[in-house]
Amino acid sequence: MLLDGIDHVAVLTADTDRLLEFYGEVFGATVDGETRDGDELRLTRVKVGPHSELNVFEIAGNDEASRQVPMFGRGRLDHLALHAASIDAFETIRDRLIERGSSDGFVTDFGPVLSLFFRDPDGLEAEVCVTNPDAQPGVMNPPGTPARRYHPT
């Protein structure tokens, strides 16, 4: 394999500071740099992993960040998925997202991966994934399969 992950995902926002606070408080993300073109453009690079970042664009007069439609109807970029460093990190992130009202806390068991969806302050639907410590080799589950460690039956 010639790749080892995502370098960056570009997102539009109407409020960079609000977005930075969210990703900083929930995920521990840090600002890696910023470029401005007067009051017209603000580009902030947000580190979300060792070599992964969000490129956050705030553009005067651009209201694209407010447009949201149902899943798989959002154009070429439907959502982004972040990968938690560990199951403990995943649980911390889950707790923080629930506290903020950004997620209902439902964790899907896809087999090898656990998945939690959330919405950021701009309404972008995103996902946090982690390697499933309870995975059974060769078992793949469909979307909506509740993870037993979070939804005991």
Side-chain angles (χ1 to χ4, degrees), residues 3-98:
L3 301 173
D4 68 356
I6 295 172
D7 179 76
H8 74 274
V9 174
V11 297
L12 295 169
T13 186
D15 189 338
T16 298
D17 295 327
R18 180 186 64 184
L19 210 63
L20 295 177
E21 188 274 333
F22 176 84
Y23 283 96
E25 288 293 318
V26 174
F27 300 104
T30 58
V31 173
D32 195 36
E34 185 169 278
T35 304
R36 289 181 186 248
D37 183 5
D39 292 334
E40 298 300 309
L41 172 71
R42 179 179 179 187
L43 164 59
T44 308
R45 293 182 320 279
V46 181
K47 240 5 186 173
V48 294
H51 53 77
S52 300
E53 63 185 31
L54 300 178
N55 288 354
V56 178
F57 289 86
E58 185 175 340
I59 303 168
N62 185 310
D63 66 352
E64 287 297 312
S66 66
R67 290 183 20 171
Q68 294 296 317
V69 296
M71 191 173 205
F72 305 123
R74 298 180 188 128
R76 296 184 73 104
L77 173 63
D78 187 74
H79 66 276
L80 64 96
L82 304 172
H83 194 271
S86 67
I87 192 68
D88 290 336
F90 180 83
E91 290 173 358
T92 298
I93 291 165
R94 179 176 181 262
D95 290 344
R96 290 176 179 179
L97 289 168
I98 292 168

